[in-house]
Coordinates of all heavy atoms in Angstrom, one line a residue:
M24 N -34.7 -150.4 149.6 CA -35.0 -150.0 150.9 C -34.0 -150.7 151.9 O -33.7 -151.9 151.8 CB -36.4 -150.4 151.3 CG -36.7 -150.3 152.8 SD -38.4 -150.8 153.2 CE -39.1 -149.2 153.6
I25 N -33.4 -149.9 152.7 CA -32.4 -150.4 153.7 C -33.1 -150.6 155.0 O -33.8 -149.8 155.5 CB -31.2 -149.4 153.9 CG1 -30.4 -149.3 152.5 CG2 -30.3 -149.9 155.0 CD1 -29.3 -148.3 152.6
I26 N -32.8 -151.8 155.6 CA -33.4 -152.2 156.9 C -32.2 -152.4 157.9 O -31.4 -153.3 157.6 CB -34.3 -153.4 156.8 CG1 -35.5 -153.1 155.9 CG2 -34.7 -153.8 158.2 CD1 -36.4 -154.3 155.7
K27 N -32.1 -151.5 158.9 CA -31.1 -151.7 159.9 C -31.6 -152.7 160.9 O -32.5 -152.4 161.7 CB -30.8 -150.3 160.5 CG -30.2 -149.3 159.6 CD -29.7 -148.1 160.3 CE -29.0 -147.1 159.4 NZ -27.7 -147.5 159.0
L28 N -31.0 -153.8 160.9 CA -31.4 -154.9 161.8 C -31.3 -154.6 163.3 O -32.1 -155.1 164.0 CB -30.7 -156.2 161.4 CG -31.1 -156.8 160.0 CD1 -30.2 -158.0 159.7 CD2 -32.5 -157.0 159.9
K29 N -30.3 -153.9 163.7 CA -30.1 -153.6 165.1 C -31.3 -152.7 165.6 O -31.7 -152.8 166.7 CB -28.8 -152.9 165.4 CG -28.7 -151.5 164.9 CD -27.5 -150.8 165.4 CE -27.5 -149.3 164.9 NZ -26.5 -148.5 165.3
D30 N -31.9 -151.9 164.7 CA -33.0 -151.1 165.0 C -34.3 -151.8 164.9 O -35.2 -151.7 165.7 CB -33.0 -149.8 164.2 CG -31.8 -148.9 164.4 OD1 -31.2 -149.0 165.5 OD2 -31.5 -148.1 163.5
E31 N -34.4 -152.6 163.8 CA -35.6 -153.3 163.5 C -35.9 -154.5 164.5 O -37.0 -154.8 164.8 CB -35.6 -153.8 162.1 CG -36.9 -154.5 161.6 CD -38.0 -153.5 161.3 OE1 -37.8 -152.4 161.1 OE2 -39.2 -154.0 161.4
I32 N -34.8 -155.2 164.8 CA -34.9 -156.3 165.7 C -34.1 -156.1 167.0 O -34.7 -155.9 168.1 CB -34.4 -157.6 165.0 CG1 -35.2 -157.9 163.7 CG2 -34.5 -158.8 165.9 CD1 -34.7 -159.0 162.9
N33 N -32.8 -156.2 166.9 CA -31.9 -156.1 168.1 C -30.5 -156.2 167.7 O -30.2 -156.6 166.5 CB -32.3 -157.3 169.0 CG -31.8 -157.0 170.5 OD1 -30.8 -156.4 170.7 ND2 -32.6 -157.5 171.4
R34 N -29.6 -155.9 168.6 CA -28.1 -156.0 168.3 C -27.7 -157.5 168.4 O -26.7 -157.9 167.8 CB -27.3 -155.2 169.3 CG -27.4 -153.7 169.1 CD -26.8 -152.9 170.2 NE -25.4 -153.3 170.4 CZ -24.3 -152.8 169.9 NH1 -24.5 -151.8 169.0 NH2 -23.1 -153.2 170.2
A35 N -28.5 -158.3 169.1 CA -28.3 -159.7 169.1 C -29.4 -160.4 168.4 O -30.6 -160.4 168.9 CB -28.2 -160.2 170.6
L36 N -29.1 -161.1 167.3 CA -30.2 -161.8 166.5 C -30.2 -163.2 167.0 O -29.4 -164.0 166.5 CB -29.9 -161.6 165.0 CG -29.7 -160.2 164.6 CD1 -29.3 -160.1 163.1 CD2 -30.9 -159.3 164.8
D37 N -31.1 -163.5 167.9 CA -31.0 -164.9 168.4 C -32.3 -165.7 168.3 O -32.3 -166.9 168.6 CB -30.6 -164.9 169.9 CG -31.3 -163.9 170.7 OD1 -32.3 -163.2 170.2 OD2 -31.0 -163.8 171.9
F38 N -33.4 -165.1 167.9 CA -34.6 -165.9 167.8 C -35.1 -166.1 166.3 O -35.2 -165.1 165.6 CB -35.8 -165.2 168.6 CG -35.4 -165.1 170.0 CD1 -35.2 -163.8 170.6 CD2 -35.4 -166.2 170.9 CE1 -34.9 -163.7 171.9 CE2 -35.1 -166.1 172.2 CZ -34.8 -164.8 172.7
N39 N -35.3 -167.4 166.0 CA -35.7 -167.6 164.6 C -37.1 -166.9 164.2 O -37.3 -166.5 163.1 CB -35.8 -169.1 164.3 CG -36.7 -169.9 165.2 OD1 -37.2 -169.4 166.1 ND2 -36.8 -171.2 164.9
K40 N -37.9 -166.7 165.2 CA -39.2 -166.0 165.0 C -39.0 -164.6 164.6 O -39.7 -164.1 163.8 CB -40.1 -166.1 166.3 CG -41.4 -165.5 166.0 CD -42.3 -165.7 167.3 CE -43.7 -165.1 167.1 NZ -44.0 -164.0 166.3
S41 N -37.9 -164.0 165.1 CA -37.6 -162.6 164.7 C -37.3 -162.6 163.2 O -37.7 -161.6 162.5 CB -36.3 -162.1 165.4 OG -36.6 -162.1 166.8
A42 N -36.6 -163.5 162.6 CA -36.3 -163.6 161.2 C -37.6 -163.8 160.4 O -37.8 -163.1 159.4 CB -35.3 -164.7 160.9
T43 N -38.4 -164.7 160.9 CA -39.6 -165.0 160.2 C -40.5 -163.8 160.2 O -41.1 -163.4 159.1 CB -40.3 -166.2 160.9 OG1 -39.4 -167.3 160.9 CG2 -41.6 -166.6 160.1
D44 N -40.7 -163.1 161.3 CA -41.5 -161.9 161.4 C -41.0 -160.8 160.5 O -41.7 -160.1 159.8 CB -41.5 -161.4 162.8 CG -42.3 -162.3 163.8 OD1 -43.0 -163.2 163.3 OD2 -42.2 -162.1 165.0
L45 N -39.6 -160.7 160.4 CA -39.0 -159.7 159.5 C -39.4 -159.9 158.1 O -39.9 -159.0 157.4 CB -37.5 -159.7 159.7 CG -36.7 -158.8 158.7 CD1 -37.0 -157.3 159.0 CD2 -35.2 -159.1 158.8
F46 N -39.3 -161.1 157.6 CA -39.7 -161.5 156.2 C -41.2 -161.4 156.0 O -41.6 -161.0 154.9 CB -39.1 -162.8 155.8 CG -37.7 -162.7 155.4 CD1 -36.6 -162.8 156.3 CD2 -37.3 -162.5 154.1 CE1 -35.3 -162.7 155.9 CE2 -36.0 -162.4 153.6 CZ -35.0 -162.5 154.6
N47 N -42.0 -161.6 157.0 CA -43.4 -161.4 156.8 C -43.7 -160.0 156.5 O -44.5 -159.6 155.7 CB -44.2 -161.9 158.0 CG -44.2 -163.4 158.1 OD1 -44.1 -164.1 157.1 ND2 -44.5 -163.9 159.3
K48 N -43.0 -159.1 157.2 CA -43.2 -157.6 157.0 C -42.7 -157.2 155.6 O -43.3 -156.5 154.9 CB -42.4 -156.8 158.0 CG -43.0 -156.8 159.4 CD -42.2 -156.0 160.4 CE -42.6 -156.2 161.8 NZ -41.7 -155.5 162.7
I49 N -41.5 -157.7 155.2 CA -40.9 -157.4 154.0 C -41.8 -157.9 152.8 O -42.0 -157.1 151.8 CB -39.5 -158.0 153.8 CG1 -38.5 -157.3 154.7 CG2 -39.0 -158.0 152.4 CD1 -37.2 -158.0 154.9
N50 N -42.3 -159.1 152.9 CA -43.1 -159.6 151.8 C -44.4 -158.9 151.6 O -45.0 -159.0 150.6 CB -43.3 -161.1 152.1 CG -42.1 -161.9 151.9 OD1 -41.2 -161.6 151.1 ND2 -41.9 -163.0 152.6
Q51 N -44.9 -158.1 152.6 CA -46.1 -157.4 152.5 C -45.9 -156.0 151.9 O -46.8 -155.3 151.5 CB -46.8 -157.2 153.8 CG -47.3 -158.5 154.4 CD -47.8 -158.4 155.8 OE1 -48.0 -157.3 156.3 NE2 -48.1 -159.5 156.4
K52 N -44.6 -155.6 151.7 CA -44.3 -154.2 151.2 C -44.3 -154.2 149.7 O -44.1 -155.3 149.1 CB -43.0 -153.7 151.7 CG -43.0 -153.5 153.3 CD -41.7 -152.9 153.7 CE -41.7 -152.7 155.2 NZ -42.6 -151.6 155.7
N53 N -44.5 -153.1 149.1 CA -44.6 -152.9 147.7 C -43.2 -152.9 147.0 O -43.0 -153.3 145.9 CB -45.3 -151.6 147.3 CG -46.8 -151.7 147.6 OD1 -47.4 -152.8 147.5 ND2 -47.4 -150.6 147.9
E54 N -42.2 -152.5 147.8 CA -40.8 -152.4 147.3 C -40.4 -153.9 146.9 O -40.8 -154.8 147.5 CB -39.8 -151.8 148.3 CG -40.1 -150.4 148.6 CD -41.0 -150.1 149.7 OE1 -41.8 -151.0 150.1 OE2 -41.0 -149.0 150.2
S55 N -39.4 -154.0 146.0 CA -38.9 -155.3 145.6 C -37.5 -155.5 146.0 O -37.0 -156.6 146.1 CB -39.1 -155.5 144.1 OG -38.4 -154.5 143.4
D56 N -36.8 -154.4 146.3 CA -35.3 -154.5 146.6 C -35.1 -154.1 148.1 O -35.5 -153.0 148.5 CB -34.5 -153.7 145.7 CG -34.6 -154.1 144.3 OD1 -34.5 -155.3 144.0 OD2 -34.8 -153.3 143.4
F57 N -34.4 -155.0 148.8 CA -34.2 -154.7 150.2 C -32.7 -155.0 150.5 O -32.1 -156.0 150.0 CB -35.0 -155.6 151.1 CG -36.5 -155.2 151.1 CD1 -37.3 -155.8 150.1 CD2 -37.0 -154.3 152.0 CE1 -38.6 -155.5 150.1 CE2 -38.4 -154.0 151.9 CZ -39.2 -154.5 150.9
T58 N -32.1 -154.1 151.3 CA -30.7 -154.3 151.8 C -30.8 -154.4 153.3 O -31.3 -153.5 154.0 CB -29.8 -153.1 151.4 OG1 -29.8 -153.0 150.0 CG2 -28.4 -153.4 151.9
M59 N -30.3 -155.6 153.8 CA -30.3 -155.8 155.2 C -28.9 -155.3 155.8 O -27.9 -155.8 155.4 CB -30.4 -157.3 155.6 CG -31.7 -157.9 155.0 SD -33.1 -157.1 155.8 CE -34.4 -157.7 154.7
D60 N -29.0 -154.3 156.6 CA -27.8 -153.6 157.1 C -27.5 -154.3 158.5 O -28.3 -154.1 159.5 CB -28.0 -152.1 157.2 CG -26.7 -151.4 157.6 OD1 -25.7 -152.1 158.0 OD2 -26.7 -150.2 157.6
F61 N -26.4 -155.0 158.6 CA -26.0 -155.7 159.8 C -25.1 -154.8 160.7 O -24.6 -155.3 161.7 CB -25.4 -157.0 159.5 CG -26.3 -158.1 159.1 CD1 -26.8 -158.2 157.8 CD2 -26.7 -159.1 160.0 CE1 -27.7 -159.2 157.5 CE2 -27.6 -160.1 159.7 CZ -28.1 -160.1 158.4
D62 N -25.0 -153.5 160.4 CA -24.1 -152.7 161.2 C -24.6 -152.6 162.6 O -25.8 -152.4 162.9 CB -24.1 -151.2 160.6 CG -23.2 -150.3 161.3 OD1 -22.0 -150.7 161.5 OD2 -23.6 -149.2 161.7
G63 N -23.7 -152.8 163.5 CA -24.1 -152.8 165.0 C -24.6 -154.1 165.5 O -24.7 -154.3 166.7
V64 N -24.8 -155.1 164.7 CA -25.2 -156.4 165.1 C -24.0 -157.1 165.7 O -23.0 -157.3 165.0 CB -25.9 -157.3 164.0 CG1 -26.1 -158.7 164.5 CG2 -27.1 -156.6 163.5
I65 N -24.1 -157.6 166.9 CA -22.9 -158.2 167.6 C -23.0 -159.7 167.8 O -22.0 -160.3 168.1 CB -22.7 -157.6 169.0 CG1 -24.0 -157.7 169.9 CG2 -22.3 -156.1 168.9 CD1 -23.8 -157.4 171.3
F66 N -24.2 -160.3 167.5 CA -24.4 -161.7 167.7 C -25.5 -162.2 166.7 O -26.5 -161.5 166.6 CB -24.7 -162.1 169.1 CG -25.1 -163.5 169.3 CD1 -24.1 -164.5 169.4 CD2 -26.4 -163.9 169.4 CE1 -24.5 -165.8 169.5 CE2 -26.8 -165.2 169.5 CZ -25.8 -166.2 169.6
I67 N -25.3 -163.4 166.2 CA -26.3 -164.0 165.4 C -26.3 -165.5 165.7 O -25.3 -166.1 165.7 CB -26.2 -163.8 163.9 CG1 -27.4 -164.3 163.1 CG2 -24.9 -164.3 163.4 CD1 -27.5 -163.9 161.7
S68 N -27.5 -166.0 166.1 CA -27.5 -167.5 166.4 C -27.7 -168.3 165.1 O -28.1 -167.7 164.1 CB -28.7 -167.7 167.3 OG -30.0 -167.6 166.6
M69 N -27.4 -169.5 165.2 CA -27.6 -170.4 164.1 C -29.1 -170.5 163.7 O -29.4 -170.5 162.5 CB -27.0 -171.8 164.3 CG -27.2 -172.7 163.1 SD -26.4 -174.3 163.2 CE -24.7 -173.8 162.7
S70 N -29.9 -170.5 164.7 CA -31.4 -170.7 164.4 C -31.9 -169.4 163.7 O -32.7 -169.5 162.8 CB -32.2 -171.0 165.7 OG -32.1 -169.9 166.6
F71 N -31.4 -168.2 164.1 CA -31.8 -167.0 163.4 C -31.3 -167.0 161.9 O -32.1 -166.8 161.0 CB -31.3 -165.7 164.1 CG -31.7 -164.5 163.3 CD1 -32.8 -163.8 163.7 CD2 -30.9 -164.0 162.3 CE1 -33.2 -162.6 163.0 CE2 -31.3 -162.8 161.6 CZ -32.5 -162.2 162.0
A72 N -30.0 -167.4 161.8 CA -29.5 -167.4 160.4 C -30.2 -168.5 159.5 O -30.5 -168.2 158.4 CB -28.0 -167.8 160.5
Q73 N -30.5 -169.6 160.1 CA -31.3 -170.6 159.3 C -32.7 -170.1 158.9 O -33.1 -170.3 157.8 CB -31.4 -171.9 160.1 CG -30.1 -172.6 160.2 CD -30.2 -173.8 161.2 OE1 -30.9 -173.8 162.2 NE2 -29.3 -174.8 161.0
A74 N -33.4 -169.5 159.9 CA -34.7 -168.9 159.6 C -34.6 -167.8 158.6 O -35.4 -167.6 157.7 CB -35.4 -168.5 160.8
Y75 N -33.5 -167.0 158.7 CA -33.3 -165.9 157.8 C -33.1 -166.4 156.3 O -33.8 -165.9 155.4 CB -32.1 -165.1 158.2 CG -31.7 -163.9 157.3 CD1 -32.1 -162.7 157.5 CD2 -30.9 -164.1 156.2 CE1 -31.8 -161.6 156.7 CE2 -30.5 -163.1 155.3 CZ -31.0 -161.8 155.6 OH -30.7 -160.8 154.8
Y76 N -32.2 -167.3 156.1 CA -32.0 -167.8 154.8 C -33.2 -168.7 154.2 O -33.4 -168.7 153.0 CB -30.7 -168.6 154.7 CG -29.5 -167.6 154.6 CD1 -28.6 -167.5 155.6 CD2 -29.4 -166.8 153.4 CE1 -27.6 -166.6 155.5 CE2 -28.3 -165.9 153.3 CZ -27.4 -165.8 154.3 OH -26.4 -164.9 154.2
A77 N -33.8 -169.4 155.1 CA -35.0 -170.2 154.6 C -36.1 -169.2 154.2 O -36.7 -169.4 153.1 CB -35.5 -171.1 155.8
S78 N -36.3 -168.1 154.9 CA -37.3 -167.1 154.5 C -36.9 -166.3 153.3 O -37.7 -166.0 152.4 CB -37.5 -166.1 155.7 OG -38.0 -166.8 156.8
K79 N -35.6 -166.0 153.2 CA -35.0 -165.3 152.0 C -35.2 -166.2 150.8 O -35.6 -165.7 149.7 CB -33.5 -165.1 152.2 CG -32.9 -164.3 151.1 CD -31.4 -164.1 151.3 CE -30.8 -163.4 150.1 NZ -29.4 -163.1 150.4
K80 N -35.0 -167.5 150.9 CA -35.2 -168.4 149.7 C -36.6 -168.4 149.3 O -36.9 -168.5 148.1 CB -34.7 -169.8 150.1 CG -34.5 -170.7 149.0 CD -33.9 -172.0 149.5 CE -33.6 -172.9 148.3 NZ -32.9 -174.2 148.8
K81 N -37.6 -168.3 150.2 CA -39.0 -168.4 149.8 C -39.5 -167.1 149.3 O -40.5 -167.0 148.6 CB -39.8 -168.8 151.1 CG -39.7 -170.2 151.5 CD -40.6 -170.4 152.7 CE -40.1 -171.5 153.6 NZ -40.8 -171.6 154.9
S82 N -38.9 -166.0 149.7 CA -39.3 -164.6 149.3 C -39.1 -164.3 147.8 O -38.1 -164.8 147.2 CB -38.6 -163.6 150.2 OG -39.0 -162.3 149.8
N83 N -40.0 -163.6 147.2 CA -39.8 -163.1 145.9 C -39.1 -161.8 145.8 O -39.1 -161.2 144.7 CB -41.2 -163.1 145.1 CG -42.1 -162.1 145.7 OD1 -41.9 -161.6 146.8 ND2 -43.3 -161.9 145.1
K84 N -38.7 -161.3 146.9 CA -38.0 -160.0 146.9 C -36.5 -160.2 146.7 O -35.9 -161.2 146.9 CB -38.1 -159.3 148.3 CG -39.6 -159.2 148.8 CD -40.4 -158.2 148.0 CE -41.8 -158.0 148.5 NZ -42.6 -157.1 147.8
N85 N -35.8 -159.1 146.2 CA -34.4 -159.1 146.0 C -33.8 -158.6 147.3 O -34.0 -157.4 147.7 CB -34.0 -158.2 144.9 CG -34.6 -158.6 143.5 OD1 -34.5 -159.8 143.2 ND2 -35.1 -157.7 142.8
I86 N -33.0 -159.5 148.0 CA -32.5 -159.2 149.3 C -31.0 -159.3 149.3 O -30.5 -160.4 148.9 CB -33.2 -160.0 150.4 CG1 -34.7 -159.7 150.4 CG2 -32.6 -159.8 151.7 CD1 -35.5 -160.7 151.1
S87 N -30.3 -158.3 149.8 CA -28.9 -158.4 149.9 C -28.5 -158.0 151.4 O -29.3 -157.4 152.1 CB -28.2 -157.5 148.9 OG -28.6 -156.1 149.1
E88 N -27.2 -158.3 151.7 CA -26.8 -158.0 153.1 C -25.5 -157.1 153.0 O -24.7 -157.3 152.1 CB -26.4 -159.3 153.8 CG -27.5 -160.2 154.1 CD -27.9 -161.1 152.9 OE1 -27.1 -161.3 152.0 OE2 -29.1 -161.5 152.8
I89 N -25.4 -156.2 153.9 CA -24.2 -155.3 154.0 C -23.8 -155.2 155.5 O -24.5 -155.5 156.4 CB -24.5 -153.9 153.5 CG1 -25.6 -153.2 154.2 CG2 -24.7 -153.9 152.0 CD1 -25.7 -151.7 153.8
N90 N -22.5 -154.8 155.6 CA -22.0 -154.6 157.0 C -22.0 -155.8 157.9 O -22.3 -155.6 159.1 CB -22.6 -153.4 157.6 CG -22.4 -152.1 156.8 OD1 -21.3 -151.9 156.3 ND2 -23.4 -151.3 156.8
L91 N -21.7 -156.9 157.4 CA -21.6 -158.1 158.3 C -20.2 -158.1 159.0 O -19.2 -158.0 158.4 CB -21.6 -159.4 157.4 CG -23.0 -159.6 156.9 CD1 -23.0 -159.7 155.4 CD2 -23.6 -160.9 157.4
S92 N -20.3 -158.1 160.3 CA -19.1 -158.0 161.1 C -18.4 -159.3 161.1 O -18.9 -160.4 160.7 CB -19.4 -157.6 162.6 OG -20.1 -158.7 163.2
D93 N -17.1 -159.3 161.7 CA -16.4 -160.6 161.8 C -17.0 -161.6 162.7 O -16.8 -162.8 162.7 CB -15.0 -160.3 162.3 CG -14.1 -159.6 161.2 OD1 -14.5 -159.6 160.0 OD2 -13.1 -158.9 161.6
D94 N -17.9 -161.1 163.6 CA -18.7 -161.9 164.5 C -19.9 -162.6 163.9 O -20.3 -163.7 164.2 CB -19.2 -161.2 165.8 CG -18.0 -160.6 166.6 OD1 -17.0 -161.3 166.8 OD2 -18.2 -159.5 167.1
V95 N -20.4 -161.9 162.9 CA -21.7 -162.4 162.2 C -21.4 -163.1 160.9 O -22.0 -164.1 160.6 CB -22.6 -161.2 162.0 CG1 -23.8 -161.5 161.2 CG2 -23.0 -160.6 163.3
K96 N -20.4 -162.6 160.2 CA -20.2 -163.1 158.8 C -20.0 -164.7 158.7 O -20.6 -165.3 157.9 CB -19.0 -162.4 158.2 CG -18.9 -162.6 156.7 CD -17.8 -161.7 156.1 CE -17.8 -161.9 154.6 NZ -16.8 -160.9 154.0
P97 N -19.1 -165.3 159.6 CA -18.9 -166.7 159.5 C -20.2 -167.5 159.7 O -20.4 -168.5 158.9 CB -17.9 -167.0 160.6 CG -17.2 -165.7 160.9 CD -18.3 -164.7 160.6
M98 N -21.0 -167.2 160.6 CA -22.3 -167.9 160.8 C -23.2 -167.7 159.6 O -23.8 -168.7 159.1 CB -23.0 -167.4 162.0 CG -24.3 -168.1 162.3 SD -24.2 -169.9 162.7 CE -23.5 -169.8 164.3
M99 N -23.3 -166.5 159.0 CA -24.1 -166.3 157.9 C -23.6 -167.1 156.7 O -24.4 -167.7 155.9 CB -24.2 -164.8 157.5 CG -24.9 -163.9 158.6 SD -26.7 -164.3 158.7 CE -27.3 -163.4 157.3
E100 N -22.3 -167.1 156.5 CA -21.8 -167.8 155.3 C -22.0 -169.3 155.5 O -22.3 -170.0 154.5 CB -20.3 -167.5 155.2 CG -20.0 -166.1 154.7 CD -18.5 -165.8 154.7 OE1 -17.7 -166.5 155.3 OE2 -18.2 -164.8 154.0
L101 N -21.8 -169.8 156.6 CA -22.0 -171.3 156.9 C -23.5 -171.7 156.6 O -23.7 -172.6 155.8 CB -21.7 -171.6 158.3 CG -22.0 -173.0 158.8 CD1 -21.1 -174.0 158.1 CD2 -22.0 -173.2 160.3
V102 N -24.4 -171.0 157.1 CA -25.8 -171.3 156.9 C -26.2 -171.0 155.5 O -27.0 -171.8 154.9 CB -26.7 -170.5 157.9 CG1 -28.2 -170.7 157.6 CG2 -26.4 -171.0 159.3
E103 N -25.7 -170.0 154.9 CA -26.1 -169.7 153.5 C -25.6 -170.9 152.6 O -26.4 -171.3 151.7 CB -25.4 -168.4 153.0 CG -25.8 -168.1 151.6 CD -25.1 -166.8 151.1 OE1 -24.1 -166.4 151.6 OE2 -25.7 -166.2 150.2
K104 N -24.4 -171.4 152.8 CA -24.0 -172.5 152.0 C -24.8 -173.7 152.2 O -25.1 -174.5 151.2 CB -22.5 -172.8 152.4 CG -21.5 -171.9 151.9 CD -20.1 -172.2 152.3 CE -19.1 -171.1 152.0 NZ -17.8 -171.3 152.6
Q105 N -25.3 -173.9 153.4 CA -26.2 -175.1 153.7 C -27.5 -175.0 153.0 O -28.1 -175.9 152.5 CB -26.3 -175.3 155.2 CG -25.1 -175.7 155.9 CD -25.3 -175.7 157.4 OE1 -26.2 -175.1 157.9 NE2 -24.4 -176.3 158.1
L106 N -28.1 -173.8 153.1 CA -29.5 -173.7 152.7 C -29.8 -173.1 151.3 O -30.8 -173.3 150.7 CB -30.3 -172.8 153.7 CG -30.4 -173.3 155.1 CD1 -31.1 -172.3 156.0 CD2 -31.1 -174.6 155.2
M107 N -28.8 -172.4 150.8 CA -29.1 -171.7 149.5 C -28.7 -172.5 148.3 O -29.0 -172.1 147.2 CB -28.5 -170.3 149.5 CG -29.0 -169.3 150.5 SD -30.8 -169.0 150.4 CE -30.8 -167.8 149.1
H108 N -28.0 -173.6 148.5 CA -27.5 -174.4 147.4 C -28.1 -175.7 147.3 O -28.8 -176.2 148.0 CB -26.0 -174.5 147.5 CG -25.3 -173.2 147.5 ND1 -25.2 -172.4 146.3 CD2 -24.7 -172.5 148.5 CE1 -24.5 -171.3 146.7 NE2 -24.2 -171.3 147.9

């Protein structure tokens, strides 16, 4: 299942609660594979990225990311290295 984050949340991902709420919805679904589509996302805060990866780590779903822009990718990579290892 592909989730377009700009439609599901916003073009600016800035609240950690938004990430937590997103994963609460995902974890209630029957599907096991999710692709987070970052197309159109223009900003991501460190707090959103931290909540995203913390929630991803706790989830039993298979979650991948696509279409990370040059504005979003560095923050996601930084936080992923901190939290996923």
Side-chain angles (χ1 to χ4, degrees):
M24 172 180 247
I25 295 176
I26 297 176
K27 294 187 176 286
L28 293 176
K29 73 173 183 176
D30 297 335
E31 185 71 27
I32 301 174
N33 198 326
R34 291 172 50 93
L36 305 176
D37 50 1
F38 299 110
N39 57 353
K40 185 175 182 330
S41 299
T43 306
D44 290 347
L45 173 67
F46 275 88
N47 286 340
K48 288 180 191 175
I49 288 171
N50 290 330
Q51 293 174 10
K52 295 189 181 289
N53 291 331
E54 293 90 342
S55 59
D56 297 314
F57 292 87
T58 300
M59 302 298 166
D60 188 350
F61 282 80
D62 184 48
V64 173
I65 57 171
F66 172 79
I67 184 166
S68 70
M69 181 171 279
S70 64
F71 179 93
Q73 288 171 332
Y75 178 93
Y76 279 112
S78 297
K79 179 179 176 177
K80 193 172 185 177
K81 290 182 206 170
S82 178
N83 62 353
K84 306 293 184 178
N85 297 317
I86 297 165
S87 60
E88 296 80 26
I89 59 171
N90 298 322
L91 289 120
S92 72
D93 291 342
D94 297 321
V95 171
K96 192 172 186 174
M98 179 66 73
M99 292 293 282
E100 288 175 344
L101 173 70
V102 173
E103 181 181 27
K104 285 177 189 170
Q105 291 173 343
L106 295 179
M107 296 300 281
H108 301 286

